[in-house]
Amino acid sequence: MYFYLNLFFIYAISGYLFETITMSLMHKQYNSSVLYGPWTIVYGMAIIIMIIIFLLVKRLKLSESKEKIVYFFTITIVLTILEGLSGFIIEKTRHVVYWNYDNLPLHIGHYMAVEISTLWGLLSLASMYFIIPRIKEKINRIPKIITNIILFLFIIDMVISFML
């Protein structure tokens, strides 16, 4: 359980930092989170979904190359839906648009684009087949007290963010 919580927070915080730094370099003010803290929930949710899809695809017992192809297409579609739903829900509940892909040639509405979806699929492959296997032991060594503190702060942030 702690492994998955730690992955959730690592990806949520990394996603927040990635988007904040990218937008700062583009000289745009940007907030990728519906919370006050330095985490973007959709990235945390994405890693959990990535793991579930990965385990389901593993059950198919395909060759490694076929497994990667099935995983890539499945996770690309699922994460595209997650991104589209997230953008829609944020706009309807928070009355703000955090991202808009209308300027991309292969956009699907405001919140989805084939170009971005392909990137998510490739990053998912890299995460599941390269990054996570290499950092798994380090993640398992994160003290539970650290995870509990971060979880406590996250819950407080959620309560405050959604009450205001």
Side-chain angles (χ1 to χ4, degrees):
M1 178 69 171
Y2 279 94
F3 175 77
Y4 298 109
L5 270 173
N6 286 328
L7 265 181
F8 176 90
F9 289 124
I10 289 167
Y11 273 72
I13 292 168
S14 297
Y16 177 86
L17 293 172
F18 168 74
E19 291 193 4
T20 300
I21 291 167
T22 301
M23 289 299 159
S24 294
L25 293 173
M26 296 171 64
H27 305 291
K28 293 182 179 180
Q29 271 199 315
Y30 186 74
N31 178 6
S32 65
S33 181
V34 295
L35 303 178
Y36 291 107
W39 26 55
T40 301
I41 298 173
V42 71
Y43 283 91
M45 289 172 42
I47 188 59
I48 301 305
I49 292 169
M50 287 163 47
I51 291 168
I52 292 168
I53 299 291
F54 180 77
L55 294 173
L56 290 172
V57 170
K58 280 279 189 200
R59 285 183 162 183
L60 299 174
K61 299 194 185 310
L62 304 168
S63 68
E64 188 176 344
S65 58
K66 287 181 182 175
E67 176 185 287
K68 288 178 181 176
I69 291 168
V70 169
Y71 178 74
F72 171 80
F73 284 107
T74 304
I75 201 63
T76 299
I77 291 166
V78 171
L79 291 183
T80 298
I81 292 167
L82 174 64
E83 184 174 35
L85 282 172
S86 298
F88 177 78
I89 290 168
I90 290 168
E91 181 181 358
K92 296 303 175 198
T93 61
R94 297 292 181 146
H95 309 291
V96 64
V97 175
Y98 284 142
W99 67 93
N100 183 331
Y101 297 138
D102 285 347
N103 62 327
L104 296 177
L106 301 174
H107 71 91
I108 306 163
H110 302 302
Y111 306 117
M112 298 179 288
V114 173
E115 301 91 332
I116 303 300
S117 297
T118 303
L119 176 64
W120 295 142
L122 292 172
L123 290 172
S124 296
L125 278 174
S127 287
M128 297 312 299
Y129 290 94
F130 181 74
I131 296 169
I132 292 174
R134 284 165 178 73
I135 64 171
K136 189 173 186 174
E137 280 304 311
K138 291 177 181 154
I139 292 170
N140 283 328
R141 284 188 260 155
I142 296 172
K144 290 180 181 177
I145 187 70
I146 300 294
T147 305
N148 289 332
I149 290 168
I150 293 170
L151 179 60
F152 178 74
L153 294 172
F154 180 76
I155 291 169
I156 288 175
D157 190 358
M158 283 184 56
V159 169
I160 291 170
S161 296
F162 289 110
M163 288 181 71
L164 300 178

